[in-house]
Each structure stands twice: as C-alpha cells, then as structure tokens.
Amino acid sequence: MVKRDFVEIRIHGRGGQGAWTGSIILAQAALLEQKYAQSFPEFGPERSGAPVTAYARIGNSPIHIHAGITEADYVIIIDPTLIYSAKYGLRPKAKIIATHSKMPEEIRSVLGLEDDVEVWVVDAVKIALETIGRAIANTAMLGAFVKATEEKIVSLNSLIEATKQILGPRLPEAAVNKNIEAIKRAYNEVKKG
C-alpha cells in the first residue's frame, strides 16, 4: 500500500460563514511554505445559512487525488449547530477542532467519540463577535487549527500572511487586521480535551 504524503481537512459551516474561504486561506498558507495544496467546496443548491462543506489537502509532494474527502484527518466546525457533522468520516487519530461554548470533554461525550480522536474547542463565534464585529468564525477557527496541529501543517506566520493575501483584495485593511486578531486569539484560547 502506498503511504499518503498529505493530510485531508474537512470544514463544516453554513453558507456565508466562509468555509470555502477558510480552505483557500489554508491552501495559500501551505503554498507559502512550498507545500502542495488543494482547496475545493462541495456545493449544491445551497443558500445563505444552509450547511456547506469545504475541503483542503496539504502535503509535501504533488497530490494526484481529485475527489471529495470521505475520511478526514482533521475536521473544523465553524458553526456550533453543525457539531454532529464532526463524528462522521474520521480517520483513526483524527482531530476535531470546533467552535462551541462547551468544554472539549462535553463535546467528546455528546459525540461518543473513540479515545484516539482529539477534540479541541474554542468559542470562535464569541471571538469573532468581539474582534470582527460579526459572527463569522472561519478565520478564528483557522488559528485554532494551527494550534491544534502544533504548526506542523502550516505555521501561524504563514496563516497570517495567507489571510492578508486572500482577504486583502476583498476587505479594507482594518477588517483584515480584525481577522488576524481573531486568528491570534483563537490560537491562544483553544483548549484540548
């Protein structure tokens, strides 16, 4: 069997919360580190507020698979109402990084997860409201992801630079800086359970 030289990341959010933008920022951060990356959404007839899934693959060599991710190494939950999406399609030793006001141990219990699955939780919606002024927690969750992965997938510095590159053309500089503040806060506040 051929060993995979990449990780697979699944991001769950709702339309308008930036799940796909989050996967694009992660892929850009990987490219800044001379890694290979993919970013793609799974869209249907979604509308604002409907569940949306986005994917990213990051590796050290070319990635030749071009299909949806059925078993993720990492699952990022941007919207706390989608927490149950985290428990499906996980690889052994997967990590779930979720925005929620509950403690990681409570999330683990509610989802009935195997012991080898790590659960990381941060109230990224609260952080987004306090920093950005809107309940869009995608960038905060990327900061939590970087901390949960011990900066082994992408570094915090690369994530911040990628955020500037992707959001800079779309948003005023002050809004980009607020997103960076949200990233740093979530990086520092995420808890493992």
Side-chain angles (χ1 to χ4, degrees), residues 8-148:
E8 295 181 308
I9 304 154
R10 191 173 73 230
I11 304 173
H12 294 276
R14 293 195 178 275
Q17 291 180 327
W20 188 18
T21 299
S23 74
I24 292 169
I25 292 170
L26 270 182
Q28 182 64 21
L31 294 174
L32 290 170
E33 296 180 3
Q34 274 71 66
K35 294 181 180 179
Y36 294 84
Q38 295 178 347
S39 164
F40 53 100
E42 183 176 284
F43 286 130
E46 278 82 3
R47 65 192 185 291
S48 182
V52 172
T53 305
Y55 305 98
R57 286 190 180 97
I58 297 173
N60 295 313
S61 58
I63 301 167
H64 298 291
I65 186 169
H66 299 285
I69 295 171
T70 56
E71 288 187 311
D73 299 291
Y74 303 96
V75 175
I76 300 171
I77 304 293
I78 294 175
D79 188 295
T81 65
L82 299 173
I83 193 68
Y84 289 99
S85 303
K87 69 187 263 182
Y88 301 106
L90 297 174
R91 288 193 181 279
K93 300 182 181 178
K95 292 185 183 185
I96 296 171
I97 305 100
T99 181
H100 215 284
S101 58
K102 292 185 177 183
M103 295 302 292
E105 298 79 12
E106 293 176 86
I107 299 297
R108 172 180 294 288
S109 176
V110 165
L111 296 179
L113 297 169
E114 299 291 328
D115 290 342
D116 69 335
V117 176
E118 282 186 23
V119 178
W120 292 73
V121 178
V122 65
D123 195 343
V125 172
K126 178 182 174 196
I127 290 171
L129 285 169
E130 291 174 358
T131 56
I132 301 167
R134 298 178 65 199
I136 299 178
N138 64 335
T139 51
M141 287 308 299
L142 296 179
F145 169 81
V146 168
K147 178 67 172 263

Side-chain angles (χ1 to χ4, degrees), residues 146-177:
V146 168
K147 178 67 172 263
T149 59
E150 301 171 345
E151 299 194 46
K152 291 179 181 171
I153 310 300
V154 297
S155 71
L156 183 60
N157 288 338
S158 294
L159 178 65
I160 289 169
E161 182 57 33
T163 300
K164 291 175 185 175
Q165 290 179 7
I166 300 301
L167 296 184
R170 304 178 190 183
L171 299 174
E173 184 178 354
V176 173
N177 290 337

